[in-house]
Amino acid sequence: MSATERRAELSGMRALAHPLRLRLLSLLTARALSASEAARELGESQANISYHMRHLLAAGLLELAEETSVRGGRAKRYRHDPASGESVPAGSLADYAVLASAVSEELRRRSLERVPGAPGAFSDAEVWLPPEAWQRVRELAKELGVLLHDAAQPPDTPGTVRASATLMMFEMARKGTPE
């Protein structure tokens, strides 16, 4: 792998491996926002959000949706195309562990906002599957992701349910297991 390919790989993995960036991607799935608008929505500083949006943009996870005039200046609004994650390289085991840690932290934050007693779904597995079953499970997960993102609405849209979904699937090494 060339140094350029490695930098691109790290850029994509590092862009995803931060809980605030994960929140931004979710927020920018349903609508295009400027850094200032996203900062207000997330209760963060505009400078902090702008910094993280630059990383997401550089990694190809955000796209410029529109530019508008605001008080004599230009406001750029960005949106997240959920399919852009397909272009982010998997990275090394250490890179993936950093991403898993960020996802875990974001899941912990979201779980504190769960509606007690509301229906949900949970599954956890470390299993051995035939290759065709593993392929079908991955296809279903991708379909679920598309459905979630395609149906996403701007925050507080009347008649919507605020929901959290986290799914991280990967093939595990056979290390320590007899063939």
Side-chain angles (χ1 to χ4, degrees):
M1 176 184 301
S2 74
T4 302
E5 290 170 327
R6 181 70 180 146
R7 277 192 300 276
E9 178 179 292
L10 288 174
S11 173
M13 289 300 290
R14 287 184 182 148
L16 286 170
H18 192 286
L20 184 56
R21 292 181 193 156
L22 295 172
R23 289 178 69 195
L24 273 168
L25 290 177
S26 292
L27 181 66
L28 297 173
T29 295
R31 63 180 172 175
L33 296 173
S34 68
S36 296
E37 292 164 333
R40 281 191 297 277
E41 189 74 39
L42 296 174
E44 297 284 338
S45 73
Q46 186 274 334
N48 191 27
I49 294 296
S50 182
Y51 169 81
H52 289 292
M53 286 176 85
R54 281 194 305 275
H55 281 276
L56 292 168
L57 183 64
L61 296 165
L62 292 183
E63 61 188 16
L64 181 62
E66 65 179 327
E67 281 190 67
T68 57
S69 295
V70 178
R71 294 183 294 272
R74 303 289 296 164
K76 294 181 180 180
R77 288 195 173 92
Y78 298 93
R79 73 171 161 242
H80 169 54
D81 173 6
S84 65
E86 299 269 329
S87 65
V88 175
S92 69
L93 288 177
D95 293 339
Y96 205 79
V98 170
L99 174 59
S101 178
V103 169
S104 174
E105 186 177 327
E106 178 60 4
L107 179 58
R108 190 172 10 266
R109 181 196 68 79
R110 291 179 191 172
S111 69
L112 295 173
E113 297 184 37
R114 184 178 187 276
V115 174
F122 174 79
S123 180
D124 180 61
E126 182 177 328
V127 296
W128 292 79
L129 299 171
E132 58 278 358
W134 173 235
Q135 180 179 342
R136 180 67 178 132
V137 167
R138 289 190 331 266
E139 289 168 358
L140 288 169
K142 186 175 180 178
E143 186 178 330
L144 175 62
V146 169
L147 175 61
L148 281 164
H149 287 91
D150 284 353
Q153 300 293 308
D156 298 317
T157 299
T160 60
V161 173
R162 184 176 179 218
S164 173
T166 302
L167 180 60
M168 193 169 197
M169 297 173 32
F170 46 89
E171 186 173 339
M172 297 177 70
R174 292 178 171 259
K175 185 176 174 180
T177 306
E179 295 281 331

